[in-house]
Amino acid sequence: MPHCEIHTFDQNRHVCPNNICVFHQITFGNGTHPNNSKSWTTILEELGHTQRKIDVLKIDIEGGEYSFFPFL
């Protein structure tokens, strides 16, 4: 993993092991729904990842995956 950058996202607080990942406490959405959510585009922009290739993306958002896929 020394060449990997791992980001985890959840509504609930989580602590990543030191030097393993970066945790972001957010709610995925379109930026306005649900309230205080962030869109996939906004997250990529905030991380400075708009021109980066994502090799692995794991999503588990309790059935919300299907409504999230069009944003990818």
Side-chain angles (χ1 to χ4, degrees):
M1 290 191 330
H3 305 294
C4 294
E5 187 174 317
I6 301 170
H7 294 269
T8 62
F9 306 88
D10 201 315
Q11 294 177 4
N12 301 313
R13 186 75 183 128
H14 174 75
V15 177
C16 288
N18 288 337
N19 301 318
I20 299 295
C21 63
V22 178
F23 175 75
H24 307 271
Q25 187 172 8
I26 64 152
T27 300
F28 281 103
N30 65 12
T32 56
H33 182 75
N35 195 24
N36 297 320
S37 65
K38 289 189 178 185
S39 70
W40 180 245
T41 302
T42 298
I43 293 166
L44 291 179
E45 289 170 354
E46 289 179 355
L47 293 174
H49 285 55
T50 56
Q51 300 300 314
R52 295 182 67 179
K53 178 182 173 188
I54 297 173
D55 294 309
V56 177
L57 177 65
K58 185 227 182 254
I59 300 175
D60 181 10
I61 47 179
E62 311 308 324
E65 298 89 344
Y66 300 105
S67 61
F68 184 72
F69 285 147
F71 297 107
L72 298 177

